[in-house]
Amino acid sequence: MAFKIIIETRIRVIEDGQAGGPPLVYRNSLGGLTKFSPMTYSIATATTQNVWDPLAVDNEIMSDFDRLIIISDQTVQVGVWTDDGGEVGKNTCSHAVIKGIPFMLGADDSYANPGADNPFSGTLDLTERIAIRNDSGSTATVTVLMAT
C-alpha cells in the first residue's frame, strides 16, 4: 500500500490594529511512501525518551525516513545523532520543539564529522538516532510521525 503526505503551511503576519497582508502559503506533497509510523509518547518532566534508533532496536518499523514531524503539547528538545554508528564521525545537535508548532525534517540526510566552523564540511551521512528531552515542568504528550 502506498501513502502520500501533504503538508500545508499558512503564515500570516499582522501588525497591531492592521488587517495584515495576504498569507504566505506553502504546500508540499510527497507520494509513493511505503511506510508510515505515527507514535505518541507521554514523557515525564526531566526525562529523555528515545523515539527512533534503528541501530539499537531490531524491530524499528523503518530504517530511514523521508519525512519526520514532531508535535508536542509542551516545549521540549529534540536530539539528533548523525552517524551514531561511528563509521565517519558522530555528530550531535538539539533543537527546541515549541509547544504547538510542528518541527519537521524533510529527509534523514545530515553531515557527520564536520569542521569546527563549517557544518557542511564533513561527510554527507544519515540521521541514525532521535530522542526527545522534556524539561518543561509538566508531562509532555509528543507525537512523532515518520514516513519513508
Side-chain angles (χ1 to χ4, degrees):
M1 176 183 275
F3 297 94
K4 185 177 196 175
I5 289 182
I6 299 171
I7 299 170
E8 297 175 327
T9 305
R10 178 181 297 267
I11 301 170
R12 294 196 67 189
V13 178
I14 301 172
E15 289 185 52
D16 287 340
Q18 302 296 317
L24 301 170
V25 179
Y26 300 95
R27 187 172 197 269
N28 178 270
S29 176
L30 179 65
L33 300 167
T34 58
K35 295 179 185 173
F36 175 70
S37 176
M39 302 165 282
T40 300
Y41 300 90
S42 180
I43 305 173
T45 193
T47 303
T48 301
Q49 171 72 52
N50 271 340
V51 297
W52 183 67
D53 190 349
L55 296 181
V57 180
D58 291 336
N59 62 352
E60 288 286 0
I61 190 168
M62 58 189 71
S63 60
D64 65 349
F65 61 86
D66 295 305
R67 293 293 184 270
L68 168 74
I69 304 166
I70 300 173
I71 306 163
S72 179
D73 69 347
Q74 303 293 325
T75 296
V76 296
Q77 291 285 322
V78 59
V80 178
W81 285 255
T82 299
D83 191 32
D84 199 32
E87 298 86 6
V88 177
K90 183 176 3 182
N91 189 41
T92 62
C93 65
S94 67
H95 301 279
V97 177
I98 305 301
K99 173 183 177 179
I101 299 177
F103 174 89
M104 295 184 228
L105 292 177
D108 59 3
D109 299 335
S110 184
Y111 282 92
N113 199 28
D117 295 325
N118 185 349
F120 311 109
S121 65
T123 301
L124 188 59
D125 205 313
L126 299 173
T127 298
E128 293 177 344
R129 181 176 167 212
I130 299 171
I132 306 288
R133 174 76 184 175
N134 178 18
D135 286 316
S136 69
S138 301
T139 298
T141 300
V142 180
T143 300
V144 179
L145 307 170
M146 298 180 80
T148 190

